[in-house]
Amino acid sequence: MSEHNLSGKKVAFLLTDGVEQVELTSPWDAVKEAGGVPTLVSPKSGELQGYDGTEKGQRFAVDLAVGRADAADFHALVIPGGVVNADHLRVDKEAQAFTRAFFEQHKPVAAICHGPWLLIDAGVVSGRNLTSYHTLQTDLKNAGAIWTDEEVVVDQGLVTSRSPRDLPAFNAKLVEEIAEGEHAGQTP
């Protein structure tokens, strides 16, 4: 059981087809274990396809369309990775606006692996300390981020990690940041 209590806190998980499923299921379970209420938000309706590396994995039911989602209804946002997932989300205007709203409201945001690609297109990485899957470092640096190769980086409510091997540290920090609540320095 987590040392941090998320009882009653609603956490949006933003993803679409091609998500690296362990980067969804592991943080989802960590949020639930701490008493939080996860909600799957997506540009797609119905179900989406998860992947375990390059192999098809589980299918996941979408709870809420991103176009109908309001960041004001949630305490935090989690953006799982997966190349295909992240590549589709980063160009989705509603996903960008939903993500940016969490920063505008100073709420915790956690992104892992390829998830930070969406942060670039949401316009929220300039001057921020973060990490990601190593192939994104040039994109993030070009967008003004301060990128480092560490298992987890926390910057004023923004939690980032590199890959599934970092999930224990990622999960611990995302739960801690959600428990702490809003961060004045969490801005776009």
Side-chain angles (χ1 to χ4, degrees):
M1 184 71 175
S2 172
E3 66 182 87
H4 299 286
N5 185 348
L6 301 184
S7 183
K9 294 197 181 248
K10 293 177 63 180
V11 180
F13 282 73
L14 179 58
L15 58 141
T16 193
D17 285 316
V19 67
E20 182 66 39
Q21 71 182 34
V22 72
E23 294 173 2
L24 165 62
T25 58
S26 180
W28 183 283
D29 291 344
V31 166
K32 283 181 72 171
E33 181 180 301
V37 181
T39 300
L40 198 157
V41 179
S42 180
K44 182 179 177 181
S45 60
E47 288 188 334
L48 53 87
Q49 181 66 57
Y51 277 78
D52 183 6
T54 58
E55 301 297 317
K56 281 187 176 179
Q58 295 174 260
R59 295 191 63 78
F60 300 96
V62 174
D63 297 316
L64 182 62
V66 71
R68 296 183 52 203
D70 185 347
D73 295 335
F74 296 94
H75 295 90
L77 173 65
V78 177
I79 306 167
V83 176
V84 173
N85 168 62
D87 197 45
H88 285 117
L89 284 180
R90 73 181 302 189
V91 297
D92 186 283
K93 298 297 182 195
E94 291 175 331
Q96 292 170 13
F98 184 63
T99 300
R100 193 169 29 261
F102 282 86
F103 287 82
E104 291 165 350
Q105 296 172 28
H106 312 289
K107 294 179 178 179
V109 174
I112 188 168
C113 201
H114 287 79
W117 254 348
L118 174 57
L119 302 178
I120 294 170
D121 289 282
V124 296
V125 298
S126 185
R128 300 304 296 271
N129 295 295
L130 52 77
T131 194
S132 66
Y133 193 69
H134 67 93
T135 60
L136 275 62
Q137 70 176 294
T138 299
D139 292 347
L140 287 160
K141 288 176 181 177
N142 287 342
I146 302 157
W147 189 91
T148 55
D149 185 14
E150 297 178 38
E151 80 176 344
V152 65
V153 174
V154 181
D155 181 359
Q156 294 291 318
L158 175 59
V159 179
T160 52
S161 282
R162 302 171 300 191
S163 72
R165 73 178 180 274
D166 299 328
L167 280 165
F170 179 74
N171 292 344
K173 285 299 185 182
L174 81 87
V175 168
E176 179 182 330
E177 294 301 299
I178 296 167
E180 288 176 5
E182 295 178 9
H183 292 69
Q186 175 71 312
T187 57

